[in-house]
Amino acid sequence: MAVSSFSDEEFPPQHQVFINYRGDELRKSFLGFLVKAMRDAKINVFTDEIEVKGRDLHNLFRRIEESKVAVAILSERYTESSWCLDELAKIKERIDQEKLVVIPIFYRLDATNCKRLLGAFGDNFRNLEKEHRSEPERIKKWKEALISIPQKVGLTLAGHRDESELVESIVKEVKKVLIEMSSKERDYFPSSSNIARCYL
């Protein structure tokens, strides 16, 4: 008789997944479909739906620190937002500490434009840079994150029939990363029963 249980495919490891995105551009469209698909797949996903804009950035930093995976959705208007860039800089900091894995998503955006700050993506960043010219250290962190994150292997709408197929690919990639992460942790921290057997 078959025993009913959750497999990794049905119920992935419950490490928190943080989504970094430009809210005004994506919240009511692509993001909604992605978050629903992740929750349907039993992924422990966090977005800033409940955070108060302009007041809770440090709360979001804490959420990033609590997460093991970040999905950074880079879009044309992403670089209009200092909020998004502050989050991205924090994500890079956690990656450098080897405490976070990032999956970049280039949403209707050429990855080359992102890496080289070209087109509207680059123009938006330069406008923001002017607004914050009195904060050179903050701008430096933004630039470092914008150069570093897009170097990671990411997903784009190109190569997918439509956005729903892209969402499906993102969910599969997140689950893959979570399962690989959990497997490494099991190898690194053997169970107490295995440790006990070593001494028998």
Side-chain angles (χ1 to χ4, degrees):
M1 185 174 71
V3 177
S4 177
S5 64
F6 285 110
S7 67
D8 281 343
E9 180 64 26
E10 293 169 331
F11 208 118
Q14 291 298 289
H15 297 307
Q16 183 168 276
V17 177
F18 184 92
I19 300 183
N20 164 249
Y21 66 100
R22 175 75 169 118
D24 289 349
E25 189 174 9
L26 300 176
R27 192 189 306 276
K28 294 179 181 178
S29 55
F30 179 76
L31 183 81
F33 294 118
L34 177 59
V35 171
K36 183 180 185 304
M38 284 191 174
R39 288 177 177 157
D40 287 348
K42 309 293 192 300
I43 292 170
N44 177 18
V45 60
F46 175 83
T47 70
D48 67 354
E49 297 163 310
I50 61 172
E51 306 294 341
V52 179
K53 289 292 185 184
R55 193 176 65 191
D56 288 325
L57 185 58
H58 290 292
N59 287 350
L60 290 174
F61 283 174
R62 189 172 67 251
R63 294 290 191 174
I64 293 170
E65 290 171 355
E66 292 168 354
S67 301
K68 292 294 186 72
V69 179
V71 175
I73 306 175
L74 302 164
S75 55
E76 189 173 273
R77 293 180 54 203
Y78 182 95
T79 45
E80 291 178 357
S81 169
S82 60
W83 185 284
C84 288
L85 292 169
D86 284 335
E87 286 184 359
L88 196 69
K90 182 64 176 181
I91 287 168
K92 180 186 180 297
E93 176 188 308
R94 298 295 287 175
I95 293 168
D96 291 346
Q97 295 168 351
E98 299 184 350
K99 294 180 179 178
L100 187 73
V101 173
V102 68
I103 302 170
I105 310 300
F106 302 99
Y107 180 77
R108 298 184 179 179
L109 178 70
D110 188 312
T112 301
N113 286 1
C114 184
K115 294 171 187 175
R116 298 180 182 175
L117 293 176
L118 301 175
F121 186 87
D123 291 341
N124 291 335
F125 179 77
R126 283 180 282 278
N127 290 337
L128 195 65
E129 189 177 21
K130 288 175 186 174
E131 289 178 27
H132 294 271
R133 56 184 173 271
S134 63
E135 301 174 276
E137 187 59 31
R138 190 180 183 194
I139 292 169
K140 179 173 178 283
K141 288 180 180 180
W142 292 348
K143 283 184 175 177
E144 289 173 348
L146 285 169
I147 291 169
S148 173
I149 302 298
Q151 303 298 328
K152 314 288 183 185
V153 176
L155 295 169
T156 68
L157 189 56
H160 294 85
R161 286 194 306 271
D162 51 33
E163 290 188 4
S164 63
E165 193 175 84
L166 175 59
V167 165
E168 186 178 325
S169 292
I170 295 169
V171 171
K172 285 181 180 176
E173 186 63 22
V174 169
K175 290 176 77 172
K176 177 185 170 187
V177 170
L178 288 169
I179 290 167
E180 286 176 354
M181 191 175 289
S182 182
S183 177
K184 287 178 182 177
E185 287 179 352
R186 283 197 297 268
D187 291 342
Y188 190 78
F189 298 106
S191 69
S192 57
S193 59
N194 288 339
I195 293 172
R197 279 197 291 273
C198 291
Y199 290 97
L200 293 179

